[in-house]
Structure formats: structure tokens, C-alpha cells
Amino acid sequence: MIFNQAYSQSEYGYLNVDCGGDGGSIDDNNIRWSADYGFAKQGYKKTIDKSINDNYPMKTLREFPYMNKNCYILPAFIQQKYLLRAGFFYVFYEAVIIAKWHNISVCLQRTRQDDVPFISTLQIMQLLPGMYTNMKNDHALFKEYRLNFGSNQTVSYPDDKYGRIWEPAPKNNYKDITADFQTLLSTVNDDPPNAAMRTAIQSESPSDPILLSFNLTEFARPLYIALYFTEVSKLNPRQNRTFDIYISGQDFNLQLSPVYQKCNEVHGYVVPTPGMSKIILSLVPSENSNMPPILNAMELFTVSETVSSGTAPQDVFGLGLITHFSSRLSQWSGDPCLPVPFDWIACNQDNPSRITALYLANSDILFISNISDMQALQIIDLQNNSLLSVPSFIWDLPNLKSINLAYNDIRGTVPESIVEREVSLNITGTNLIVIEPKKKSHKGLIIGLSVAAGIALIGIAAFVFICICRNGERKVSTVEISNQTVTDTVNGSEEQLNNNVNDTTGEAGIRA
């Protein structure tokens, strides 16, 4: 319900979360920001600079000094594309993702014991279904570059109605030119803003190519590139601007003649050669061209690994039943298994992931709701809780190998089947009686203690994991994606959200 209300307040499918903020505000760009209450269960808000304008979302942040994995749950529509942007005190990471379920989880994970993860802002912007049509459903796109050429101005909302940010291209040796029109007559599905399309660069002479180089952060990952062109002025019949497009020397048989006041787009996937640390874009004049090549705007993304489906829905639901009745576990949120499991569970590598172990010692658990659908469970540790009985479905879990019930006020009997299956059993400090099977000696009665920490949550869907830590300097290193679902919650999908990270440290990734 909280999620639905929050979503209805967002405009055109946008949700802008001021992490650690006290209430709603509107910034200088007329962007409405919501407080993060109701989207995150953990953490502490902090004001980092009281001199900053109260309406500026970077004034506050939320930090997470305790738990190893802390998540925001944001609303989404199934199978819709979203632009996701996370801000960490002036450093931003961004991805285009497809929501597989009804919400998007953005999770921060501690990468070193003394680090304190934090986050300043979170934004999700719904994109039109036709945008980035070449994007594969089982992948996400992590932004490397989004540039407008021929200008020193940043183009963002409201000029870009989808909330994308088009940064000025790095200074180069080419001529800046400006169109003689204000708006495009027609555009393309990816719909670059007019403000970015009205400026461009061109080479100095008709015979000179445009050569641009872009450094890569993920050397071995495939790339998705989109180039945008328009003719900036009407050419006379004797003028011809035609050029061929090469990417890192590869000839994709791409030849373009931009059309006046109409947007042209060239996009597709590029597979880097081994060890390639940069991509080189070449716009080479064709033989019959007497005008220099031109370029208005571009986007360059790293393609994620194959998107996982996240944790199996029945396991998420079962985990939600457990956490609902445990105050100690109720603060945990996000996909239980991805990108890393909660501290108190173990998961396998299936797709979707299945929960194989529950380490619930000292978790203030009074009873266990029906989790019979969590049939991949092999280990259950319930020692030192307040259980009075063991539900029959626990004994019937088909893959159960070990169960620890020590130090609970449990009365009753342990079924013969547990001994026959040689399930390791710890009933120290209980009033349980083991029924020995007839004509068989059991090998499965093992008495011992195991201690584990606990944590959990109700469902989640597309998961986005991001971690920026405040102690020590490190750079983004991991990228992953996963998805997932739950009853009565919203769940969806989702990388490397890439930008300059020289002033921050940590690790980032996404699972959709």
C-alpha cells in the first residue's frame, strides 16, 4: 500500500527519492523529490552540509552502519523499461532495466567490515515500450556515456522528458555547429531531446573524418551504442553530406546522409576484442560527399550478464512468513539470494535461486508458519528460540539433511522417517523423543550446537545492488542482475551505474 501511494504521487512514472530527507521538495530543475520513509526499513538519515539549499537532495543521505545488506524497495510495472539512477554525493550510476516483477530493489552491501555504505538519491523513470528496442529482455544496459556534441551545456529534465542526462562531450578538435531550427519535425523511438540535437560537431574539411575515443570500464563486456544525427541546415542541390561509420575499425556497412530537421539513429551491439580498453568511433566521408561528417549525440552502454530470475517466489513468500513473526528479522529487505544471500540463509545457483538453508538461531521465533513450498531446504537451525512444537511439514521437507532444535521448549516425538533418512538432528535441551525405527539402527542422530545470525524479508522483484562505502578508496567492480516476486508487494528489475568514481569508494552491481 505504501508503494502504491508513493507511485501515484510520481509524475509520468517518475519517482525521485531523497535518501535521508525529511519531506517532499522541489529542486531548481522543478523535479519533485519524495522522502525515503516507506521505501527503506533500515539505516539512519544524516545531513552532510547544512549550508546547502534545503531543496537540494544531496544535502542529506542515508547510511547503513550495521547490517551487511540493506535495500530500498521501489514500485514498478512488470515488463516495463526503466531508467534507474543512484546518486552517492555527486557521483551517479545509471542503468536501463526491464522490470520482471512488481518492484525494483536497490541494495547496498558492506564490502569491508569497517565500511559504512550510504546513498544520497534514487530515481526511477519509466521509458516508453519502443525505446531501446534492440535491448535484450534478459540483459540490462549500464551507462558509460551519454553525450551531446557541439555544446558546453548539460541537457536534462525537462528538456529530456524521460529524465536522462546528456553531458557535454569532452573538448575535441572539431568545429561546434548549431542548427537553424528550434525543434525536430520527426524523431526516433529513443527520442533524444531537441536541445541535444540542435548542436553538433563536424570535421574541418569535407575530406576529414571524425575520430573519437572512449575509455571503457568493463573491458570484456559487450557494448550497446546509439548514435544520433540530424542535418542542421538546408543543403543546396550541389551539397552532399554522406559518411561511413566504423566502430573500433569494424565495418558494419553503415552509411548515413542526415536529413534536415529529422532525427536519424544508428544503434547496435559491439563485441570488444580481447584486451580492448577503449572504443574508437570513426565517421569517414564517402567518396561522393562534399560536406564534412557530423555528429549530434550518442549513448554508450555496457551490456550486463544474463539476467537471473532472482529467488524463487515460493521461497520469498515462505521467508516472508518467517520474518513477519520475528522482530529481529523484520528489518531485512531485498532479494534474499541476490546478488548475495542474507547473512542467515544459503542459496543455490539455480535460476531462479532456491533457498537451501535457514540459520534462525536466537531469532525470537515463537512458531513456524507453513513453509512447505520451500522444498530445496537442506539445513534448518532453530536453536535457542521459543518454539513449543514442530509443524509436521518440517519433517516432510524432501531434501532436509540437518535440523537443529536445541534449547526450545518443544514436546512431542521425532518421526521415524527422520532417522530412516539419516537427517542430522540436534534436540539438546528439548523434550522431544526420538522414535527408533524397527529392525534398523539409526546413524543420523547427531547432537551438537550451531550458532548463526539471522535476517529476512517478504517478497522482492527485480533487484538492483549498489554499494558505496565511505572508508577507503575503491572503484566500481562488480555488475550483476536478478528478479523476483511476492504477494501484495511490488517487485521489478535491473549495473554498473557508471560515472566518475574517483571521489568515492565501494562496489556496485545490479541484478534485475
Side-chain angles (χ1 to χ4, degrees):
M1 203 56 189
I2 292 177
F3 299 142
N4 291 334
Q5 291 172 355
Y7 193 84
S8 68
Q9 293 167 2
S10 63
E11 185 177 5
Y12 305 118
Y14 293 6
L15 178 60
N16 306 292
V17 179
D18 180 5
C19 302
D22 291 325
S25 63
I26 299 178
D27 67 15
D28 295 338
N29 293 322
N30 203 33
I31 295 176
R32 184 180 299 277
W33 294 88
S34 301
D36 63 352
Y37 177 78
F39 299 109
K41 294 183 178 182
Q42 318 90 349
Y44 299 90
K45 61 183 182 181
K46 185 175 182 180
T47 300
I48 57 175
D49 189 345
K50 294 182 179 180
S51 66
I52 298 178
N53 186 316
D54 286 341
N55 291 334
Y56 192 60
M58 287 296 169
K59 181 185 177 109
T60 62
L61 56 81
R62 183 171 292 274
E63 62 180 11
F64 303 91
Y66 300 122
M67 299 186 336
N68 287 333
K69 179 177 171 181
N70 302 272
C71 301
Y72 280 80
I73 310 297
L74 306 177
F77 293 120
I78 292 179
Q79 293 301 317
Q80 294 299 307
K81 290 190 182 81
Y82 287 90
L83 183 74
L84 171 67
R85 183 183 299 121
F88 304 90
F89 194 53
Y90 300 103
V91 177
F92 296 89
Y93 301 93
E94 185 178 302
V96 177
I97 58 179
I98 297 176
K100 296 295 183 70
W101 301 104
H102 296 286
N103 70 27
I104 298 172
S105 298
V106 180
C107 298
L108 295 90
Q109 182 188 353
R110 180 180 289 107
T111 55
R112 293 183 303 188
Q113 186 60 39
D114 296 332
D115 289 341
V116 179
F118 75 93
I119 187 167
S120 303
T121 59
L122 268 176
Q123 297 172 273
I124 55 170
M125 288 75 74
Q126 187 175 351
L127 304 176
L128 295 179
M131 298 179 71
Y132 305 103
T133 53
N134 276 23
M135 176 180 173
K136 299 176 182 178
N137 286 338
D138 57 351
H139 292 81
L141 303 178
F142 301 137
K143 192 196 82 172
E144 296 272 357
Y145 298 93
R146 183 180 291 113
L147 303 172
N148 66 308
F149 292 90
S151 171
N152 60 0
Q153 301 295 315
T154 298
V155 177
S156 58
Y157 182 85
D159 292 306
D160 188 304
K161 55 190 175 183
Y162 309 103
R164 294 171 296 187
I165 297 174
W166 303 77
E167 298 173 321
K171 197 64 181 175
N172 51 60
N173 297 322
Y174 303 106
K175 181 180 178 181
D176 294 344
I177 55 177
T178 302
D180 62 7
F181 58 81
Q182 292 298 316
T183 59
L184 294 167
L185 293 177
S186 66
T187 188
V188 289
N189 285 343
D190 292 340
D191 198 12
N194 285 313
M197 296 301 297
R198 290 189 62 252
T199 60
I201 56 171
Q202 70 175 19
S203 56
E204 289 293 336
S205 72
S207 61
D208 291 338
I210 290 177
L211 302 175
L212 299 172
S213 176
F214 304 95
N215 294 326
L216 303 176
T217 57
E218 293 286 335
F219 300 163
R221 299 300 308 157
L223 304 169
Y224 181 86
I225 189 169
L227 305 172
Y228 303 96
F229 308 89
T230 188
E231 185 57 72
V232 295
S233 60
K234 290 185 177 180
L235 303 182
N236 64 49
R238 294 183 300 274
Q239 292 177 309
N240 177 22
R241 192 194 304 274
T242 305
F243 48 88
D244 298 292
I245 302 172
Y246 300 86
I247 299 174
S248 292
Q250 298 182 57
D251 185 357
F252 293 91
N253 196 29
L254 298 173
Q255 188 176 87
L256 185 70
S257 296
V259 180
Y260 175 68
Q261 213 171 347
K262 295 184 178 181
C263 183
N264 304 116
E265 177 180 359
V266 172
H267 60 231
Y269 287 88
V270 177
V271 180
T273 57
M276 189 170 80
S277 62
K278 62 178 63 178
I279 186 171
I280 299 174
L281 173 64
S282 306
L283 307 180
V284 181
S286 302
E287 290 185 3
N288 61 342
S289 178
N290 56 23
M291 295 287 289
I294 190 174
L295 176 62
N296 299 75
M298 76 168 279
E299 294 179 280
L300 181 63
F301 299 91
T302 298
V303 181
S304 76
E305 296 180 357
T306 302
V307 175
S308 169
S309 299
T311 306
Q314 61 269 41
D315 287 1
V316 173
F317 184 75
L319 213 59
L321 295 176
I322 295 171
T323 59
H324 182 72
F325 295 104
S326 171
S327 59
R328 182 175 177 181
L329 304 178
S330 62
Q331 295 303 304
W332 287 82
S333 60
D335 187 285
C337 292
L338 301 172
V340 294
F342 291 159
D343 290 354
W344 50 279
I345 68 172
C347 303
N348 62 25
Q349 300 300 312
D350 293 352
N351 188 11
S353 297
R354 298 300 307 266
I355 296 174
T356 59
L358 296 173
Y359 301 106
L360 302 173
N362 305 292
S363 296
D364 301 322
I365 294 176
L366 299 175
F367 64 94
I368 301 293
S369 297
N370 192 337
I371 58 171
S372 58
D373 287 338
M374 299 180 70
Q375 298 208 355
L377 281 173
Q378 299 176 19
I379 300 172
I380 301 177
D381 182 0
L382 288 163
Q383 69 170 314
N384 201 24
N385 282 286
S386 302
L387 293 171
L388 299 177
S389 63
V390 181
S392 59
F393 59 78
I394 293 289
W395 307 121
D396 295 333
L397 290 170
N399 293 295
L400 190 63
K401 295 179 179 179
S402 174
I403 183 167
N404 188 343
L405 299 169
Y407 303 107
N408 285 275
D409 192 17
I410 303 174
R411 297 178 182 275
T413 58
V414 176
E416 294 181 20
S417 60
I418 293 298
V419 178
E420 291 174 339
R421 291 162 55 190
E422 298 188 353
V423 174
S424 296
L425 177 67
N426 186 342
I427 55 174
T428 304
T430 72
N431 292 303
L432 284 170
I433 299 173
V434 178
I435 300 178
E436 296 285 353
K438 296 179 180 179
K439 297 182 181 181
K440 286 187 180 180
S441 62
H442 73 81
K443 301 177 182 178
L445 183 60
I446 298 178
I447 305 298
L449 294 177
S450 62
V451 179
I455 326 164
L457 146 79
I458 297 187
I460 307 135
F463 161 85
V464 176
F465 151 67
I466 303 170
C467 172
I468 292 294
C469 300
R470 300 170 60 190
N471 299 329
E473 287 196 358
R474 298 194 290 165
K475 293 186 179 180
V476 171
S477 62
T478 14
V479 169
E480 298 184 82
I481 300 198
S482 93
N483 284 283
Q484 140 74 54
T485 185
V486 174
T487 304
D488 283 347
T489 64
V490 262
N491 178 352
S493 113
E494 300 71 16
E495 69 219 25
Q496 176 196 345
L497 307 175
N498 200 356
N499 216 312
N500 182 1
V501 295
N502 291 334
D503 296 328
T504 63
T505 62
E507 195 169 292
I510 291 190
R511 287 222 154 182

